Amino acid sequence: MKKNCISISALAVGILLAMNGCGGGSGSTEKNTPSEVSGVAVDDLILNGIVTATDASGNKELAKSRTSATDGTYTLHINHDGVVLLNVQCDENSTMWNPTSSESKSCEEDLLLHTVADVSPGIAQTVNISPITEIVYQRALALSSDGNVDKKDFEQARNEMGVIFRVESIAADPQQGTYAAIIEAIHTVAKENNTSVMEVTEDLATALEDGVADGEDVIMDLIDALNDANVTIPLTVNDGNMEVPENPAALSDVDAAKALFEELRTQAMSVVDYQYSGTPGFLDNEAENMNHTVNTITMEVETIEEILTYMLWDIEYMMEENLTEYEIYQSTTPGVWTYSFTDANKDHTYSGTISIPASLDDTTNETILYDDFGTLKAEFEGTLPLYLDSIYDDMEMEEGVENLQRFRGAIEVTKTTAGANVSISGSIASNGTSLEVKEANAEVAYSKGEADGEGGFEPKFEYFKLQNVSVQGVAGEYTIDGEIVVNNYVQNEILAQDGSKEEDCSEDDFSNSGWLPSDVTFTGAVSREGASINGMIKAQWMNAATLDPDSEAYVPQGKVSIEGRLQMPERPEMIIALSFENSATNNILTASYSYDATLINMRAVSDTEMNHIDVEITTSIGQRADIAIKKDQPVTGRLTKDGRLVGTFEEREGVPVIKYIDGTFESLP
């Protein structure tokens, strides 16, 4: 086998799942060598707080220090081998600081937050203190049989909280990303319920222990606040009963973990790489197809809205001029108009009817068309092209795709200062797509163009911006139910200038004045044959403003993220968060998912040519892998558990393997 010919995503996830088979081991470090434990204390940042470490019983003090008066960090040197309990308290010299709002406040002296660590002599590790670590501590106490937290209690409590909150609770930075969003949600709930952060964490810890949500309102508020922050957690409350994920197996048992390795590895591979798992990979197959499906729906709906808007204005013009025949339109019945036209390729003839409510069928209005109206409404039934450009430009269609869609529904155009708002609803059918459009809204801007010689004028269109589409039905192979929202547009000056050069802007200028969608979100469910994602797909086009279609050097830069509940054929449901971002200098892949009560996080950073890739993987029970993958060089790296060396990554005859400290090997993948 050639070096590095293995899929990077497969390798990385294979490595992280192999970590489930890792045992502990303190090596040859002397037991009287202190362990350095450091971290940060966060409710808001706790400045000058008192941090104390004790043994597992809580009775013997092992070390004490204060957090920094500037950033809330602390460092302790502990002579101990095993589980230690840490807590932070405040006194009259302590304060709290919110870096986001730059607000300082007093720290109540009854504040008491705990965390738990498993220390080994001479091994440094990060142990943070936060409301989530308090819940880990409370849960570990509940699991202990005698009030003394042992390693098994700690591992299970940490793993459970990792699966529930989808963060590594002890070592991860509480001030960043999802972790920070969870703490902010806890703060929000405490404020709304006129209670303290401590009481919110105690309510949740108690509910997790006995399965009964005694503080049901507080817990429901917390679940809602987390949803508002786009943090999906597997907690529900039904009739006062707390439903939580099943308790994980005892992951400290090396033999049991290794017995599960093959199944776990296959599970992960089916997510990222079908070449090695034997089944279609979600990232390699479904994610790309789902994203294409969402984009196709967006494009088709936008085409319908644009063409119908132009048609409605044309018909309004005919009504004002007492015409019964004009360009592509004809009317033999009051209020009912037929149309017929072809695309530039002459491949299709599009036809249908537009019905105007009697209240709007008023041909006595002599006001200036496009500039003076309230609301225009119509019912539409007929066929249209998929692409607006195809009306005027020859277009080569994808194989098997017909440039034809049928729409039946309603359109409403409401005048605004800048132009008009357009809304449609109805049904769409095209190329295997059959959708009900519950609602689709767009914004069109135009200015007064040249006079038409008959008292009116032709509008000079500035831009057409789709705002949102809510759909339900079948699109190709997928069933879809959700909403597409365009969160932001940017203006590309290159396209705007190219469009301004067109001689006849009413027909040939589809540059949209350079406005391009730069941030699009789909929220809902997409499914096919047992594979589904229920959550959010977000696509951001980072350099849309600098797109140059004539430049071979232009490389689109963007970020695509998927977050929600993933279901694959014959697999347990997974909560998953994936993102890929590329820039002019590097590519960044991040993944987080929970499976079989284990949370796994991965981050891979590479140069644009994929010649050098650094992978960092962590789990909810303190496992960490750091791997370096370089072109034409062996894979290297370290595997640790709470700072202790568990194994190293190397290659044997060109095959990457984990070499455990007990002498055994595991191939990857």
Side-chain angles (χ1 to χ4, degrees):
M1 179 182 292
K2 294 181 181 180
K3 296 182 188 296
N4 298 318
C5 64
I6 194 170
S7 162
I8 296 303
S9 59
L11 173 63
V13 178
I15 290 169
L16 67 90
L17 283 175
M19 293 162 64
N20 283 286
C22 302
S26 57
S28 60
T29 307
E30 296 295 331
K31 288 201 170 187
N32 60 359
T33 304
S35 172
E36 181 179 286
V37 175
S38 61
V40 63
V42 174
D43 179 316
D44 283 330
L45 278 178
I46 301 173
L47 308 181
N48 212 27
I50 305 167
V51 179
T52 305
T54 70
D55 64 4
S57 69
N59 298 321
K60 180 182 179 181
E61 183 176 303
L62 301 174
K64 179 177 284 190
S65 181
R66 280 189 180 266
T67 61
S68 165
T70 57
D71 61 9
T73 59
Y74 77 92
T75 300
L76 296 176
H77 293 90
I78 303 172
N79 278 305
H80 191 71
D81 186 3
V83 171
V84 297
L85 309 179
L86 295 90
N87 67 71
V88 62
Q89 293 178 285
C90 293
D91 62 11
E92 67 277 6
N93 298 313
S94 308
T95 58
M96 285 190 180
W97 171 255
N98 188 316
T100 303
S101 63
S102 297
E103 293 179 352
S104 178
K105 63 182 180 181
S106 62
C107 184
E108 300 297 330
E109 294 187 22
D110 61 352
L111 180 138
L112 180 62
L113 291 175
H114 295 84
T115 190
V116 188
D118 180 16
V119 301
S120 297
I123 302 297
Q125 61 175 294
T126 300
V127 180
N128 296 309
I129 308 173
S130 74
I132 296 180
T133 66
E134 173 67 26
I135 300 174
V136 172
Y137 165 75
Q138 295 285 351
R139 181 61 179 146
L141 278 181
L143 291 169
S144 67
S145 58
D146 58 1
N148 293 322
V149 176
D150 61 22
K151 182 175 180 178
K152 181 180 177 182
D153 301 330
F154 168 47
E155 295 285 7
Q156 181 169 331
R158 177 165 64 170
N159 205 29
E160 287 181 356
M161 295 310 105
V163 171
I164 290 173
F165 290 112
R166 298 180 56 215
V167 296
E168 200 294 297
S169 54
I170 305 299
D173 188 347
Q175 303 172 84
Q176 301 295 325
T178 299
Y179 206 138
I182 294 170
I183 293 178
E184 182 60 30
I186 292 174
H187 275 270
T188 298
V189 171
K191 184 176 181 180
E192 290 177 349
N193 288 272
N194 195 28
T195 186
S196 68
V197 168
M198 286 291 299
E199 289 174 327
V200 173
T201 59
E202 288 171 0
D203 282 346
L204 182 55
T206 301
L208 291 171
E209 178 182 353
D210 57 26
V212 178
D214 293 329
E216 182 174 347
D217 292 341
V218 171
I219 294 171
M220 288 302 301
D221 287 346
L222 178 57
I223 293 173
D224 291 340
L226 290 170
N227 287 333
D228 291 341
N230 293 321
V231 177
T232 305
I233 63 172
L235 282 181
T236 56
V237 176
N238 291 319
D239 297 327
N241 295 317
M242 174 75 80
E243 297 181 4
V244 300
E246 293 183 5
N247 289 339
L251 297 180
S252 57
D253 188 334
V254 176
D255 292 335
K258 286 188 174 181
L260 291 173
F261 170 77
E262 187 64 33
E263 180 179 350
L264 290 172
R265 181 174 61 179
T266 302
Q267 170 72 18
M269 292 304 175
S270 65
V271 176
V272 298
D273 198 328
Y274 64 87
Q275 296 180 27
Y276 293 93
S277 67
T279 60
F282 178 75
L283 284 184
D284 287 348
N285 190 11
E286 299 298 339
E288 180 180 355
N289 292 340
M290 287 179 180
N291 187 53
H292 177 74
T293 298
V294 170
N295 289 338
T296 300
I297 292 170
T298 304
M299 176 270 298
E300 292 181 4
V301 171
E302 184 170 354
T303 298
I304 290 171
E305 288 201 303
E306 288 198 59
I307 295 179
L308 292 192
T309 300
Y310 303 151
M311 284 186 171
L312 191 54
W313 277 332
D314 283 344
I315 291 173
E316 180 69 7
Y317 169 79
M318 295 170 62
M319 291 162 55
E320 291 189 1
E321 297 300 320
N322 273 323
L323 301 176
T324 58
E325 188 170 343
Y326 174 70
E327 295 183 345
I328 65 171
Y329 308 95
Q330 192 173 40
S331 177
T332 57
T333 303
V336 179
W337 304 80
T338 61
Y339 69 89
S340 180
F341 65 93
T342 64
D343 56 22
N345 293 337
K346 307 297 182 183
D347 291 335
H348 294 93
T349 297
Y350 308 102
S351 61
T353 60
I354 302 176
S355 302
I356 308 295
S359 60
L360 292 179
D361 191 6
D362 180 5
T363 59
T364 63
N365 184 0
E366 298 298 333
T367 59
I368 299 176
L369 185 62
Y370 309 115
D371 194 42
D372 189 6
F373 67 90
T375 300
L376 304 178
K377 298 180 180 180
E379 297 290 329
F380 177 92
E381 182 174 3
T383 56
L384 295 169
L386 291 176
Y387 302 97
L388 186 64
D389 290 20
S390 68
I391 300 175
Y392 303 105
D393 297 326
D394 293 342
M395 293 188 65
E396 184 176 348
M397 303 298 295
E398 296 178 25
E399 184 177 353
V401 176
E402 186 179 15
N403 187 27
L404 179 74
Q405 59 180 327
R406 176 174 293 278
F407 176 71
R408 179 178 184 178
I411 179 172
E412 181 174 306
V413 181
T414 303
K415 186 71 181 72
T416 64
T417 302
N421 288 332
V422 183
S423 177
I424 69 168
S425 60
S427 59
I428 298 176
S430 70
N431 296 293
T433 294
S434 178
L435 293 172
E436 286 297 322
V437 179
K438 302 174 186 177
E439 180 183 36
N441 296 295
E443 173 188 347
V444 59
Y446 57 86
S447 57
K448 186 175 180 179
E450 296 180 0
D452 60 9
E454 299 180 358
F457 69 89
E458 291 291 331
K460 181 180 179 181
F461 291 100
E462 305 293 339
Y463 60 76
F464 193 98
K465 296 180 180 179
L466 183 68
Q467 302 297 317
N468 67 287
V469 182
S470 181
V471 295
Q472 182 178 38
V474 176
E477 299 179 339
Y478 293 91
T479 299
I480 186 168
D481 185 357
E483 182 179 29
I484 302 163
V485 177
V486 183
N487 303 300
N488 189 51
Y489 284 83
V490 296
Q491 190 170 32
N492 182 298
E493 295 296 337
I494 297 174
L495 294 181
Q497 291 174 11
D498 287 347
S500 67
K501 298 174 185 176
E502 301 290 350
E503 294 181 1
D504 186 354
C505 294
S506 64
E507 291 188 354
D508 297 328
D509 178 17
F510 292 101
S511 68
N512 209 34
S513 295
W515 288 102
L516 296 172
S518 62
D519 191 325
V520 180
T521 302
F522 170 79
T523 305
V526 184
S527 61
R528 179 181 76 91
E529 296 179 357
S532 66
I533 180 77
N534 190 334
M536 181 179 70
I537 303 172
K538 186 178 182 68
Q540 295 170 286
W541 189 0
M542 313 302 287
N543 63 344
T546 59
L547 165 66
D548 184 353
D550 297 325
S551 172
E552 295 182 0
Y554 175 81
V555 177
Q557 296 171 15
K559 181 178 182 179
V560 178
S561 58
I562 301 174
E563 183 170 343
R565 297 175 182 271
L566 170 65
Q567 180 69 63
M568 294 180 294
E570 301 179 2
R571 300 285 184 183
E573 183 182 73
M574 300 169 63
I575 295 179
I576 193 166
L578 308 164
S579 75
F580 177 80
E581 180 176 359
N582 71 309
S583 69
T585 57
N586 60 26
N587 300 323
I588 301 175
L589 170 69
T590 61
S592 172
Y593 72 92
S594 55
Y595 164 68
D596 195 24
T598 300
L599 174 75
I600 299 171
N601 296 305
M602 180 184 74
R603 176 181 171 86
V605 180
S606 75
D607 60 84
T608 56
E609 300 299 322
M610 302 289 284
N611 291 324
H612 182 180
I613 305 156
D614 290 317
V615 182
E616 175 189 301
I617 303 163
T618 60
T619 74
S620 54
I621 55 173
Q623 297 159 315
R624 179 185 175 101
D626 294 281
I627 312 106
I629 306 168
K630 298 180 181 180
K631 184 178 181 180
D632 298 327
Q633 295 184 32
V635 173
T636 60
R638 286 167 52 86
L639 177 62
T640 59
K641 173 70 166 65
D642 288 329
R644 299 184 296 271
L645 181 66
V646 176
T648 56
F649 299 98
E650 54 187 64
E651 287 193 7
R652 290 204 162 194
E653 299 180 355
V655 178
V657 299
I658 303 174
K659 180 182 179 181
Y660 296 116
I661 59 174
D662 63 3
T664 60
F665 290 85
E666 195 83 61
S667 63
L668 297 171

